[in-house]
Amino acid sequence: MAALINNTKSLWRRSTKLKDGPLDSTKPGTGEEVVTFAVIGCGQRGKSYTKYALSSPDRCKVVAIAEPRPKTQKQFAALHNVDKTLVFDTWQDLHAASAETISTIGKRLADAVIIAVQDHLHAEVAVAFAEQGYHILCEKPMATSIQDCLKIETAVKDAGMIFGMGHVMRYSPYSQEITEIVRSGNLGELINVVQVEPVGYYHFAHSYVRGNWSNEKASSFSLMTKSCHDIDLLCHWFYPATPVKVSSFGSLKHFRKSAKPKEAGNATRCLECPMEKDCAYSAKKIYLDPVSHGNTGWPVETIVDGLPDIENVTDALKNGPYGLCVYESANDVCDNQVVNIEFSNGSTASFTMVAYTSAICERQTRMHFSQGEIIGDMNTFTVSDFRKRTTKVHRPRSEGGGHGGGDTGLIRSFVEAVSATQQDLLGTDASEVLKSHLTVFAAEASRKSGTVVDCVAFEREAREKLTLKANNADS
């Protein structure tokens, strides 16, 4: 621990322009300092968020990590040149080390934590590090239960720390240009939005049939794990109006054993299936064939620890969940769902999430204003002004990176917010994030109950339950 403390002192000095002593981490300062990150979870999302630290080392730096997979941990630590004393196997180890340095020298290991662990862990990790005074960037969703979302909101507010949510779609140049038009009022009042998320047939098979988000009990329902992005965008565009009523319908329609082709027989894995070549969801087609042609990015990079080569991928398909027949997997989340929302100003929105598309997450949006219309596909959008009788195609700049530049936009905004200690630079806060999540929970409650859900009453009841639980715990 002495080595850790000495190394931490050295890192603070190198991360600031101050000559004497470490950065006062209780006040990140004027925007001149390098914002330091502790990354918890070094998988796909952890890597995506920290690319900005590699391209803009004058703005931010990864100084500590927690990752249980040894090869992934080693690669990530090497990529960001993280000192070995600040590399941990679990978030609990990192948290304990942070507690030691706080008690010993009054400093945290970093300015902020990036939480990119599995969804069901978000609340536990976020609350623990908020209590230690870290700013937090949490991958979506906020949490997998209403009570855990409420706990995060409370912890962040009590700590007074900056909170960022992985709703990256808000931060892409495409979405920001559309938002600017909405806020300008140039097309009149926004009255209705129709949003479609085409998840992608093999993306859904990868993530929501074979992958980490396939089972509601182990993770959450698919509207939350996949489409809280979209509900958040709808709430963002209609703000300050808020959702008042929501209804939803959906099901697991195709990815179930009853849909398994007879020609597949008793085969449970793609590599042993007699009709693998004729199956759209063949694991060989999705993972092994691309690797054989040198394509080692998503999704194949996510199924192995370390290098995604032929040997490792073949082993994963023979022994792991990603090689299972999609009709034999233990998935139970919806593969198609629709949501209807009424807002407090009388405006409406509809959203469709569907697995069976060739497009991969390229949202289709139609926005209807009192004086115009916007039609977009996440790459370009067309604005029609009814008063001027004009139509103009917009092609937002491409910044590269994930989600149309949204990954970069979010992390850049988070760094700016932490540097200036201004939550509003993120354009949202924990309470607004909570409200959009509650709308998602309400939509799923509607789907399961077959009723229209009153969003105001739904939130009130959720808060009352948390208060009652807290009072019972104190008594």
Side-chain angles (χ1 to χ4, degrees):
M1 187 56 70
L4 168 63
I5 293 171
N6 289 333
N7 183 61
T8 303
K9 290 179 179 178
S10 176
L11 283 168
W12 280 317
R13 290 191 175 98
R14 294 201 304 270
S15 69
T16 75
K17 296 182 179 180
L18 302 177
K19 293 183 179 179
D20 300 314
L23 172 67
D24 179 3
S25 59
T26 63
K27 187 178 181 182
T30 63
E32 296 181 353
E33 298 86 4
V34 174
V35 172
T36 54
F37 292 137
V39 181
I40 303 172
C42 300
Q44 182 196 9
R45 297 309 299 153
K47 291 176 183 175
S48 295
Y49 286 135
T50 53
K51 286 179 181 178
Y52 186 63
L54 299 174
S55 64
S56 302
D58 59 319
R59 299 293 292 121
C60 59
K61 177 180 176 59
V62 176
V63 299
I65 66 171
E67 168 57 53
R69 294 168 295 179
K71 294 178 182 178
T72 299
Q73 180 195 89
K74 183 178 180 181
Q75 290 174 348
F76 195 93
L79 182 64
H80 290 276
N81 195 28
V82 179
D83 190 276
K84 63 181 181 181
T85 61
L86 293 171
V87 175
F88 304 93
D89 293 337
T90 69
W91 73 264
Q92 291 94 337
D93 291 339
L94 191 156
H95 186 264
S98 176
E100 182 68 20
T101 59
I102 289 171
S103 64
T104 304
I105 59 176
K107 304 294 180 181
R108 299 183 297 274
L109 296 180
D111 297 318
V113 293
I114 296 177
I115 300 174
V117 293
Q118 286 301 302
D119 302 343
H120 68 279
L121 296 172
H122 287 182
E124 185 178 8
V125 178
V127 170
F129 282 92
E131 290 174 347
Q132 285 192 345
Y134 284 87
H135 303 294
I136 294 171
L137 176 61
C138 183
E139 170 60 344
K140 61 88 181 168
M142 192 179 197
T144 57
S145 74
I146 296 172
Q147 297 303 303
D148 279 350
C149 288
L150 289 165
K151 288 177 183 177
I152 291 177
E153 182 204 30
T154 299
V156 170
K157 281 189 169 183
D158 287 349
M161 309 312 293
I162 303 296
F163 180 76
M165 187 76 248
H167 285 154
V168 292
M169 286 175 56
R170 275 194 182 209
Y171 300 90
S172 70
Y174 169 89
S175 293
Q176 290 190 325
E177 286 191 26
I178 288 179
T179 300
E180 187 175 334
I181 294 172
V182 173
R183 297 284 183 262
S184 73
N186 290 339
L187 297 178
E189 184 181 10
L190 180 60
I191 294 175
N192 171 267
V193 177
V194 178
Q195 175 95 342
V196 178
E197 180 174 11
V199 181
Y201 70 100
Y202 71 84
H203 178 9
F204 197 92
H206 165 71
S207 297
Y208 303 94
V209 179
R210 295 174 169 130
N212 293 327
W213 300 277
S214 62
N215 184 273
E216 182 175 349
K217 186 176 181 180
S219 177
S220 191
F221 51 97
S222 55
L223 187 67
M224 177 61 76
T225 59
K226 186 69 186 80
S227 301
C228 64
H229 278 306
D230 300 272
I231 303 302
D232 173 73
L233 261 183
L234 294 173
C235 292
H236 180 51
W237 283 331
F238 281 105
Y239 183 85
T242 56
V244 292
K245 292 180 182 179
V246 63
S247 65
S248 183
F249 307 92
S251 66
L252 171 56
K253 179 66 176 173
H254 181 70
F255 290 113
R256 51 201 314 164
K257 192 163 185 175
S258 59
K260 184 178 181 180
K262 292 181 180 179
E263 296 84 351
N266 294 324
T268 59
R269 289 190 174 273
C270 294
L271 294 185
E272 61 188 32
C273 180
M275 65 159 294
E276 173 271 322
K277 291 183 179 180
D278 297 318
C279 181
Y281 307 103
S282 158
K284 182 177 181 294
K285 290 178 182 176
I286 295 173
Y287 307 109
L288 202 53
D289 289 352
V291 171
S292 68
H293 292 93
N295 300 322
T296 57
W298 184 90
V300 69
E301 65 180 347
T302 67
I303 74 171
V304 297
D305 177 25
L307 183 67
D309 56 20
I310 293 292
E311 182 180 358
N312 287 337
V313 172
T314 299
D315 180 69
L317 299 190
K318 286 182 177 179
N319 300 297
Y322 293 97
L324 283 172
C325 169
V326 292
Y327 306 105
E328 296 282 356
S329 298
N331 58 296
D332 62 5
V333 299
C334 287
D335 56 21
N336 74 106
Q337 190 164 353
V338 296
V339 179
N340 296 307
I341 305 172
E342 181 182 0
F343 289 84
S344 55
N345 64 354
S347 295
T348 57
S350 64
F351 169 68
T352 296
M353 180 275 288
V354 61
Y356 309 101
T357 64
S358 56
I360 305 294
C361 304
E362 295 176 5
R363 272 81 168 179
Q364 300 152 15
T365 304
R366 300 184 71 98
M367 309 180 77
H368 308 109
F369 301 79
S370 58
Q371 306 296 332
E373 183 179 54
I374 295 177
I375 300 174
D377 63 4
M378 279 190 70
N379 296 304
T380 65
F381 62 91
T382 301
V383 178
S384 297
D385 188 316
F386 301 157
R387 289 171 293 191
K388 297 178 180 179
R389 298 293 196 271
T390 59
T391 298
K392 181 179 179 180
V393 178
H394 294 249
R395 294 181 173 85
R397 71 190 186 281
S398 175
E399 293 186 333
H403 298 92
D407 289 359
T408 301
L410 171 58
I411 193 69
R412 182 195 296 122
S413 298
F414 182 70
V415 168
E416 290 172 355
V418 171
S419 293
T421 58
Q422 290 184 234
Q423 178 70 47
D424 60 1
L425 292 178
L426 277 162
T428 189
D429 59 22
S431 294
E432 187 179 351
V433 169
L434 171 67
K435 188 169 287 290
S436 74
H437 276 69
L438 286 172
T439 305
V440 181
F441 281 114
E444 184 67 357
S446 170
R447 184 186 75 85
K448 289 184 173 180
S449 66
T451 61
V452 175
V453 173
D454 181 317
C455 296
V456 177
F458 188 83
E459 179 175 351
R460 182 177 63 249
E461 291 169 7
R463 291 188 180 281
E464 288 174 351
K465 286 180 182 178
L466 183 65
T467 301
L468 180 61
K469 187 174 181 180
N471 291 339
N472 290 338
D474 293 337
S475 62

